[in-house]
Amino acid sequence: MIKSGEAKYLKNLSWMSLEKFVRIFSGVFIGLWVSRYLKPEAYGALSYALSVSSLLINLMALGLESIVVRELVYQENRRNSIVINALTLRLFSSVIILSLVLMLSPFFSKDETITLMIFTLTFQGFFHSFFVLDWFFQSQARFKFVAISNIVGLFIGGALKIYFISVKASVYYFTLAYLMEASAVAVMLYIYFYRDEHRLILKEISTKMSSSLIINSFPLILASLITLVYMRSDQIMLKWYLGNYDVGIYSASVRLSQMFYLSL
C-alpha cells in the first residue's frame, strides 16, 4: 500500500516527467521543423538572437531562485511578502536591462531585424519575472501547477511556430512565438496563485527584504551567468567570426543531437 507521502511524490514526479517530455518534443521536433523551414541563414540569425537574449534574461533573474525557494520554505508566514519583493526586484531588473538593450542595440548587430529579434526575445524576461510564482509552488512541492502552466505555454508556442511555418512567415515572427509562450506561462501561474487565495499586495514591498534577497543571491548571479556564457558563447562567437549561415548549421546540429535525450 502506497503511503500518502509516497503518493504525493509519485504524482509530482509524473507531472515533472510529462512536462520534460513535452518540452523535449517541442524543442527537438518542432525546433528541427523550424530550422528546416528557415534555412541556415535565417535560423542562424534566430539562434544568435536567442543566445544573446538568454544571457540578458539570466541577468534579469538576479540569481534569486534558490534563495527565494529557501526563504519560502523557512518563512511560511511571510510567503506573500517574499513573493511580492522577489517579483518587484525581477520586474525592476527587466525594465533596466530592456532599456539598456534599446540604447546598446547597435552593439549587438548592425542588422535591424536581428536587433529587433533580440529585443523581442529579451522582453520574455518581463514575463519571466512572474516565474517567482513557480518558485512559490516549488517551495510547497506542488509541481502540478508549474507543469500544467509550462505545458500550456509550450503548446501555445509550438502551435504558433507551426502556424508561422504554414503561412510562410518571416523569421521575426518566430520570436513572437517565444514571447507568447512566456506570457502564457506567466498568466497560468498567476491564475493558480490567485485561485489558491493568495494576493500580491504592494504595501508588503520592503526595502529591507529586497536588499537581503539581493545580497544573498549575488554570488549566484555570477555563477549562473558564467555557466550560461559557457553554454551560449559558441553560437555568439560563430556569429561574430563566421556569420548567420554557420550558426544555423551548428544550431540545427545541436537540436538533432538533443534527440538522444529522449532515451534518457
Side-chain angles (χ1 to χ4, degrees):
M1 183 176 181
I2 300 177
K3 298 179 181 179
S4 58
E6 294 175 343
K8 182 179 179 180
Y9 172 78
L10 290 173
K11 188 178 293 185
N12 282 326
L13 182 62
S14 63
W15 279 110
M16 292 167 65
S17 300
L18 177 61
E19 182 204 335
K20 182 178 180 181
F21 177 81
V22 174
R23 188 175 297 280
I24 292 174
F25 178 85
S26 175
V28 175
F29 291 101
I30 296 180
L32 287 174
W33 194 359
V34 170
S35 69
R36 185 174 181 179
Y37 164 73
L38 290 176
K39 308 303 183 192
E41 188 73 23
Y43 188 64
L46 177 61
S47 298
Y48 171 70
L50 282 167
S51 296
V52 173
S53 63
S54 65
L55 291 173
L56 297 170
I57 290 171
N58 187 263
L59 278 176
M60 293 179 185
L62 301 174
L64 286 171
E65 181 173 358
S66 58
I67 300 299
V68 171
V69 171
R70 184 194 68 189
E71 295 302 314
L72 288 169
V73 170
Y74 289 113
Q75 300 189 56
E76 295 184 17
N77 59 326
R78 302 185 67 189
R79 280 177 174 168
N80 283 6
S81 180
I82 294 168
V83 167
I84 188 62
N85 278 278
L87 177 60
T88 302
L89 286 171
R90 290 205 56 173
L91 287 172
F92 184 68
S93 69
S94 68
V95 170
I96 290 176
I97 291 177
L98 284 169
S99 300
L100 289 173
V101 170
L102 284 175
M103 290 188 291
L104 301 175
S105 56
F107 170 79
F108 298 115
S109 177
K110 295 180 180 179
D111 188 321
E112 291 183 0
T113 301
I114 294 179
T115 301
L116 182 59
M117 288 165 60
I118 290 172
F119 179 79
T120 303
L121 289 168
T122 305
F123 201 85
Q124 291 179 92
F126 177 83
F127 296 108
H128 283 190
S129 299
F130 290 88
F131 288 11
V132 169
L133 305 180
D134 175 336
W135 308 341
F136 172 81
F137 290 118
Q138 282 186 45
S139 69
Q140 302 173 55
R142 300 165 70 186
F143 294 98
K144 174 182 177 180
F145 301 139
V146 176
I148 292 175
S149 299
N150 286 324
I151 289 170
V152 169
L154 288 167
F155 177 80
I156 290 174
L160 282 173
K161 290 172 188 174
I162 293 172
Y163 172 74
F164 291 145
I165 292 172
S166 68
V167 298
K168 302 186 183 304
S170 66
V171 63
Y172 172 73
Y173 286 91
F174 290 88
T175 64
L176 297 178
Y178 287 98
L179 187 62
M180 290 303 298
E181 177 182 327
S183 63
V185 175
V187 169
M188 289 297 299
L189 286 171
Y190 184 75
I191 288 172
Y192 282 122
F193 184 78
Y194 190 87
R195 284 179 54 186
D196 211 33
E197 298 185 355
H198 294 282
R199 300 293 182 269
L200 298 174
I201 303 172
L202 294 178
K203 69 178 183 179
E204 292 189 6
I205 296 175
S206 165
T207 304
K208 182 179 179 180
M209 177 173 286
S210 297
S211 300
S212 175
L213 291 173
I214 285 292
I215 291 170
N216 285 315
S217 67
F218 184 74
L220 298 176
I221 299 175
L222 297 176
S224 59
L225 183 60
I226 290 170
T227 301
L228 198 59
V229 167
Y230 171 77
M231 294 174 62
R232 292 289 188 174
S233 60
D234 49 0
Q235 295 180 24
I236 295 174
M237 291 177 67
L238 278 173
K239 159 65 179 174
W240 285 354
Y241 288 104
L242 296 177
N244 292 333
Y245 184 90
D246 295 277
V247 177
I249 295 294
Y250 176 80
S251 300
S253 301
V254 171
R255 286 285 185 187
L256 189 61
S257 69
Q258 289 174 345
M259 292 181 65
F260 294 104
Y261 294 169
L262 290 171
S263 62
L264 296 179

